[in-house]
Amino acid sequence: MLDFRMLTLLIGLFGSLSVDPRTSVVYRVAQAPRLLEVSTHRTHWAFVLKVGKYKLERGMPLQDSDRFWLMRAELAMVQAKHLKPLSGDAYSAILRARTHYHIIRRHSHCSEVHAYYLETLLAIPDPRLLDFAACDLSFLLRTHRVCHPRLQRLLYRLVIRHGAFLSTRSQEAILGVLWSRACQGTTDLVAEDGLSDIALDDCISDATAIARSLSAALFGFPGHLPNDKPENSIGHLFSVFSSAHALSLRWSSLILFSIFNSSEMLHLNGSHWTSEHAMPQVTSCWQVIFGLATVEKISQELSSALATQPTPTEGILQTTRSLHQLWLTIMRSCLVSRGLACAIATSFLRIASVLADATLFYDCQDLYRIEDSSEGPWTSMQKAFAAQYIAAAVRVQGPLPDVVLTALEAFSSDSKQQHQVLASAVEALAPIDPSLAYTLYIIAQGKETEPSPGVTHTLAMSFARRGALRQAILFLRDGQFSLEKRGILVSAVARGLRANPRTRHPESVFVAIVDELAALYHSHVPPEHFRGHLEQLFVLLAQHGRGSQLFPVVLSIFRRFPGFFQPQFFVRYCRVLVRHRQFATASKLLDTITAVHPKIARSLCILTDRIAVQTKTLRVSKRITPLRGPTSIGLSSRLRRCPYAGPPLERWLQELLRSGRLLAAKHIFASAASTIPSARCTALGNILLHGVSRQPTLRNGRRVRKILALLETLVKNHGFRPDRVTANILIKIMINWRSAFDSSRLRDLFDQLVRGGYPAADYSPLHPPFDTRQAQFPGSSGLSKLPSFVSFEKHSRPLFKMFIKAFYLCNDVEAARRVVGILKVEEYKNTMAKEARQRARTRGRIDCKRNVIPLDATAP
């Protein structure tokens, strides 16, 4: 009999096993991750419901964790059925889940408890569930002073996607809660149409800043409660949610508020910002503010696309002109404060700058009088407006110095303020058009002033993001940035190089980047968040032939912080170095890794040596007599010291022999002979003998003596066992010594081989093909010790072809034709034997299938 605590643990455990282990759940059992390591992920919601039902039947109380998992189980069972329309059982399950939720929502402030329940209700297209979601969300907004961003996103989703399907009661509930939140801590907030009392802080310079300030004041954020409003009268705009206005106007204001704060990008057109009925001034101002803020948000995302490819902007332009007409109506009908008018005009000018629309630019000149801005001390808001005006003028009228200087003189005659405005204009124009921003930068330098490093860094980053790396490097060489900003700019350049790998950049770009990296990280370690960009940049620069120049930087960082680079980076870096034939740098890098990280040094050494041999093999000359030098001395010494005896060993040995590195090849064979099987030792010894036989020498007798001496050394010291391939190598060397082996000696040698076990058609060891007397040749005494098996493809056919060529070179046509006849007979026998083996294998498979005993057959 389980008590209520054990049942609670059982519900929590199987509920935790049913959710995604990567998500964070407030009531997750600590033992669940250990069980997930030994079992596959599956859901157990039905079992959770059974345990909960059993607990209720026994009269045991349900804990908050029990109700949470029962709520998720009910909702998960409804989602699994995908019922459209919603059935009665599914609706009852949702009602049970809602009952559990209503009990735990009062004292649970975790967003996971509320968000999953509301997301499930919004995912099911049913008007009743939408009203449930609106009611429950209104309760959360009324009881939570700081609204979690996840709950805010659910509110925006409900308003934008499902607002048209909500009942009037649900809309009134949401609007009433928002009006109550806006009135908290404020006693003089009433529904009024006057906009002259609305004052803005000096830090609020445009419509986007106003919209963000209103959003933060309504929902709050950590460290700033909603009722702790700033000391200005911007809160009067919340009167749009007052019940004194019509429901349709209040709901449209909430839709605009949700569109701005939502991450969803909607299609914009002018009809969203117009109305057939007269609107209060505060509602019209609210529409202009959030409409402009939304357009600015979209235009900032499209600013980079406008410079690279044609992007349709008709909807944005139409919306902006509709908002402009609406704002002109507000300006004519009432007295608007200077701060609000300046902020709205700044946003209009920014949009005109992004779209480069002359009509909108000239219309915005009437919104704020330039001559009035010179009265009194300049504020940050007025400086921002002046900067946006100059940026829009340059975009519309072109980069003319007279236009810029005239606008500056019209705003203010103070040179210090002009420099500040010009720097702000450069910073505002840089994300839109870096070339025009650079023109303003040159104009600022012509006025004997240097923009601040922050403005210059913004301009350099804009060039780097647009792929103009050459211009970004020019700013990097000036050395006016701090260490952190230089690292950020280098990261942007690295992303530009990686984004366009096929783009050809001038050599000066790579030289400047290498020099900057050497200066940046010569004495300190880069931040860890820059590891990925730095590794990719090093590999990319190495691919452009700068691997050896970067090695001191890599070595400096590695010595100060051995764990900074990932092991995979060294693999990629060494691969690129070897591919570009920079073997000296690769050897130094691997020596450093070996001294610091012995665990990964072995695998990196093997991989690098393998790539080096493969790269060299592709570039070795195809001539019979190879030239010394394709494999460097450093690489041959590395292969010589390597204790590895894996599959690439044959490849390494062949490459060293082909490159003339005989001593390194002999050392590799000597070190590996004691650790490999006898058959592989024979194969490696044959490779070594064959490689030595192909070395260039002026005397054939010397070659024969060297081969025989090497063979004796291999047999005596390394346990080498000669086979038929070894015999063929020795015979080939003897045949090539034509001054010592004429036609008669070749006949004697061929008969001796037949007597040693080689097949010869109708001939036999007692009756050889040429019927010569038995003679002794160097190495012929060991033929009787060779394996008795003779392969036609590996042993006989190569031997016969060597003798046929040798007989023809000696003008012994009769002997050559006799060997050709033997070759044809043996080839026919080999073909017939292969066909017989194939028929036997086929017959054996058929007999095996016929004689298979069924698994369910009973044994006698």
Side-chain angles (χ1 to χ4, degrees):
M1 183 67 180
L2 297 177
D3 58 358
F4 75 96
R5 294 186 181 88
M6 297 298 295
L7 292 176
T8 298
L9 179 61
L10 202 61
I11 292 174
L13 179 61
F14 281 91
S16 302
L17 294 175
S18 302
V19 298
D20 190 354
R22 295 171 296 181
T23 59
S24 61
V25 182
V26 60
Y27 294 111
R28 185 190 297 273
V29 177
Q31 293 80 3
R34 301 178 183 177
L35 297 177
L36 288 173
E37 294 178 357
V38 297
S39 63
T40 58
H41 174 68
R42 53 172 297 188
T43 58
H44 310 275
W45 297 122
F47 179 76
V48 172
L49 292 176
K50 289 182 180 180
V51 176
K53 183 179 179 181
Y54 174 80
K55 195 173 183 180
L56 288 175
E57 290 176 352
R58 293 296 182 269
M60 300 179 183
L62 293 178
Q63 304 295 324
D64 287 346
S65 60
D66 298 338
R67 294 190 181 278
F68 173 75
W69 291 118
L70 291 174
M71 177 194 71
R72 294 203 61 159
E74 296 283 5
L75 296 177
M77 298 297 290
V78 173
Q79 284 183 321
K81 296 178 181 179
H82 298 287
L83 298 176
K84 294 181 180 180
L86 198 64
S87 63
D89 295 338
Y91 184 72
S92 301
I94 291 177
L95 291 179
R96 291 193 297 269
R98 191 166 185 244
T99 302
H100 293 303
Y101 172 72
H102 282 181
I103 296 175
I104 63 177
R105 72 177 182 178
R106 294 181 178 274
H107 44 81
S108 178
H109 296 278
C110 181
S111 62
E112 180 66 28
V113 176
H114 312 286
Y116 182 79
Y117 166 75
L118 295 173
E119 287 174 354
T120 305
L121 294 184
L122 295 181
I124 302 175
D126 191 283
R128 296 173 295 178
L129 302 187
L130 295 179
D131 290 334
F132 287 166
C135 179
D136 296 331
L137 192 56
S138 301
F139 176 83
L140 295 177
L141 295 176
R142 185 169 57 253
T143 56
H144 291 200
R145 298 184 67 189
V146 177
C147 188
H148 193 274
R150 192 172 178 182
L151 299 180
Q152 295 182 35
R153 290 192 294 268
L154 288 174
L155 173 63
Y156 306 147
R157 177 181 171 185
L158 175 65
V159 172
I160 296 173
R161 294 187 181 181
H162 312 289
F165 304 100
L166 292 177
S167 62
T168 304
R169 181 179 179 181
S170 298
Q171 293 180 356
E172 287 284 0
I174 295 176
L175 293 172
V177 170
L178 295 179
W179 174 244
S180 300
R181 292 179 69 92
C183 293
Q184 287 180 0
T186 304
T187 58
D188 57 347
L189 186 58
V190 295
E192 57 181 359
D193 288 348
L195 301 177
S196 58
D197 297 332
I198 295 179
L200 302 178
D201 289 338
D202 194 30
C203 59
I204 299 178
S205 59
D206 54 11
T208 301
I210 298 175
R212 289 174 180 172
S213 178
L214 290 172
S215 302
L218 185 61
F219 290 119
F221 50 86
H224 179 86
L225 296 179
N227 56 357
D228 298 334
K229 295 180 174 57
E231 296 181 358
N232 55 31
S233 57
I234 192 176
H236 289 290
L237 291 172
F238 285 122
S239 59
V240 296
F241 297 130
S242 173
S243 58
H245 302 306
L247 176 63
S248 59
L249 295 178
R250 289 183 289 155
W251 190 254
S252 62
S253 300
L254 179 57
I255 291 177
L256 297 180
F257 180 85
S258 303
I259 291 176
F260 168 72
N261 290 283
S262 176
S263 59
E264 301 178 0
M265 303 307 296
L266 304 177
H267 176 71
L268 299 179
N269 53 63
S271 60
H272 288 136
W273 325 104
T274 58
S275 177
E276 298 179 356
H277 306 284
M279 293 185 298
Q281 297 296 334
V282 66
T283 304
S284 301
C285 184
W286 181 278
Q287 289 193 0
V288 172
I289 290 173
F290 281 94
L292 276 178
T294 305
V295 172
E296 283 187 280
K297 179 181 176 182
I298 299 175
S299 61
Q300 288 177 0
E301 297 181 359
L302 296 179
S303 60
S304 58
L306 289 172
T308 57
Q309 57 184 358
T311 304
T313 58
E314 291 81 5
I316 299 177
L317 189 58
Q318 182 182 1
T319 301
T320 306
R321 289 175 178 171
S322 300
L323 293 172
H324 179 259
Q325 296 297 326
L326 182 59
W327 182 246
L328 287 179
T329 305
I330 298 174
M331 294 284 290
R332 296 190 189 102
S333 59
C334 65
L335 181 63
V336 181
S337 63
R338 170 180 289 187
L340 183 59
C342 184
I344 297 299
T346 302
S347 296
F348 277 118
L349 287 173
R350 180 180 291 113
I351 298 173
S353 177
V354 173
L355 302 179
D357 186 71
T359 305
L360 182 61
F361 168 71
Y362 292 121
D363 292 340
C364 291
Q365 289 181 341
D366 299 332
L367 294 178
Y368 187 78
R369 295 183 178 276
I370 299 177
E371 59 270 16
D372 293 341
S373 64
S374 60
E375 299 177 0
W378 273 45
T379 62
S380 299
M381 187 183 303
Q382 291 173 328
K383 292 177 183 178
F385 170 76
Q388 289 296 335
Y389 179 85
I390 293 176
V394 171
R395 283 278 288 174
V396 173
Q397 300 176 358
L400 302 177
D402 296 339
V403 176
V404 177
L405 297 177
T406 303
L408 286 175
E409 292 294 336
F411 280 114
S412 176
S413 58
D414 187 3
S415 60
K416 183 177 180 180
Q417 292 183 352
Q418 289 181 0
H419 299 160
Q420 294 176 356
V421 170
L422 199 56
S424 300
V426 173
E427 193 171 6
L429 195 56
I432 303 172
D433 194 337
S435 300
L436 293 178
Y438 184 71
T439 303
L440 286 181
Y441 183 82
I442 298 299
I443 295 175
Q445 288 181 335
K447 292 180 67 63
E448 298 180 355
T449 180
E450 186 73 21
S452 63
V455 176
T456 308
H457 185 265
T458 302
L459 181 57
M461 288 291 294
S462 300
F463 277 118
R465 293 191 184 101
R466 295 296 181 91
L469 304 183
R470 190 173 183 178
Q471 289 77 2
I473 293 299
L474 294 178
F475 292 100
L476 193 61
R477 285 180 170 179
D478 292 341
Q480 58 178 326
F481 302 141
S482 62
L483 199 63
E484 181 181 1
K485 289 185 177 181
R486 288 163 66 188
I488 295 174
L489 184 55
V490 170
S491 175
V493 172
R495 287 193 296 269
L497 289 173
R498 188 175 67 253
N500 302 304
R502 297 184 179 181
T503 304
R504 291 184 174 271
H505 300 283
E507 194 68 18
S508 60
V509 173
F510 302 106
V511 174
I513 294 176
V514 173
D515 295 342
E516 185 64 25
L517 288 173
L520 272 174
Y521 307 119
H522 179 71
S523 59
H524 77 285
V525 179
E528 293 188 12
H529 67 272
F530 191 44
R531 176 192 292 118
H533 295 302
L534 196 62
E535 290 178 352
Q536 294 179 356
L537 181 60
F538 282 164
V539 173
L540 190 62
L541 291 175
Q543 291 175 352
H544 287 83
R546 297 292 168 180
S548 58
Q549 290 85 350
L550 282 173
F551 176 70
V553 183
V554 177
L555 186 62
S556 176
I557 298 174
F558 185 74
R559 286 177 177 175
R560 286 179 172 82
F561 186 14
F564 180 80
F565 294 110
Q566 298 292 334
Q568 187 64 25
F569 162 71
F570 294 110
V571 176
R572 296 172 57 195
Y573 189 53
C574 292
R575 186 188 296 270
V576 175
L577 289 175
V578 174
R579 188 180 297 125
H580 286 77
R581 304 178 65 86
Q582 297 177 0
F583 298 108
T585 305
S587 180
K588 294 178 183 178
L589 179 63
L590 290 180
D591 290 340
T592 305
I593 297 173
T594 303
V596 180
H597 287 295
K599 293 183 178 180
I600 65 173
R602 178 181 176 86
S603 59
L604 291 177
C605 178
I606 294 170
L607 180 62
T608 305
D609 293 342
R610 184 188 307 170
I611 297 173
V613 172
Q614 292 175 357
T615 306
K616 287 297 185 179
T617 303
L618 297 176
R619 302 184 183 187
V620 169
S621 176
K622 299 299 182 180
R623 290 178 292 180
I624 297 178
T625 304
L627 296 177
R628 180 182 293 270
T631 301
S632 65
I633 297 177
L635 180 59
S636 63
S637 62
R638 282 196 54 79
L639 296 175
R640 174 179 170 181
R641 297 192 306 267
C642 183
Y644 178 66
L649 191 59
E650 288 83 355
R651 192 89 179 262
W652 295 353
L653 204 62
Q654 291 174 359
E655 178 59 29
L656 290 173
L657 292 171
R658 191 179 290 115
S659 303
R661 309 294 180 186
L662 302 182
L663 186 60
K666 292 179 182 179
H667 277 281
I668 289 178
F669 177 81
S671 61
S674 59
T675 60
I676 58 178
S678 176
R680 194 176 181 202
C681 180
T682 301
L684 289 176
N686 290 333
I687 293 175
L688 184 59
L689 291 172
H690 183 263
V692 174
S693 68
R694 291 175 61 87
Q695 299 302 313
T697 181
L698 299 178
R699 298 177 60 184
N700 292 323
R702 180 178 298 176
R703 179 187 288 113
V704 174
R705 288 193 296 271
K706 289 177 65 175
I707 291 296
L708 293 178
L710 178 60
L711 177 61
E712 184 179 0
T713 302
L714 296 181
V715 173
K716 184 182 300 183
N717 299 334
H718 304 295
F720 176 75
R721 296 181 181 180
D723 59 355
R724 297 285 176 175
V725 177
T726 310
N728 286 358
I729 294 173
L730 295 176
I731 293 168
K732 182 178 180 180
I733 298 173
M734 296 178 184
I735 290 177
N736 291 335
W737 191 1
R738 297 196 184 97
S739 61
F741 284 84
D742 55 2
S743 178
S744 60
R745 297 293 297 273
L746 289 175
R747 292 189 177 204
D748 294 341
L749 181 59
F750 191 83
D751 286 349
Q752 184 70 19
L753 294 174
V754 173
R755 293 187 184 99
Y758 281 89
D762 297 334
Y763 301 98
S764 64
L766 298 178
H767 300 283
F770 300 105
D771 199 15
T772 59
R773 63 183 179 85
Q774 188 170 358
Q776 291 292 333
F777 295 95
S780 61
S781 59
L783 291 177
S784 59
K785 302 179 183 180
L786 296 177
S788 59
F789 174 73
V790 179
S791 173
F792 176 78
E793 288 85 0
K794 297 181 180 180
H795 305 146
S796 300
R797 181 158 52 189
L799 180 69
F800 293 156
K801 288 186 176 181
M802 286 190 296
F803 273 96
I804 292 171
K805 180 179 179 181
F807 280 128
Y808 274 119
L809 291 177
C810 295
N811 293 324
D812 193 349
V813 180
E814 179 184 357
R817 290 178 177 176
R818 187 172 300 178
V819 178
V820 169
I822 295 173
L823 176 60
K824 290 182 178 180
V825 173
E826 291 297 330
E827 189 171 7
Y828 175 75
K829 290 181 179 180
N830 180 69
T831 302
M832 298 303 295
K834 289 173 63 176
E835 293 179 356
R837 289 194 297 269
Q838 182 64 31
R839 288 194 298 269
R841 283 194 293 267
T842 304
R843 189 183 309 110
R845 285 194 293 267
I846 295 176
D847 294 341
C848 181
K849 291 181 180 180
R850 291 176 178 175
N851 297 329
V852 169
I853 300 177
L855 295 178
D856 57 349
T858 304

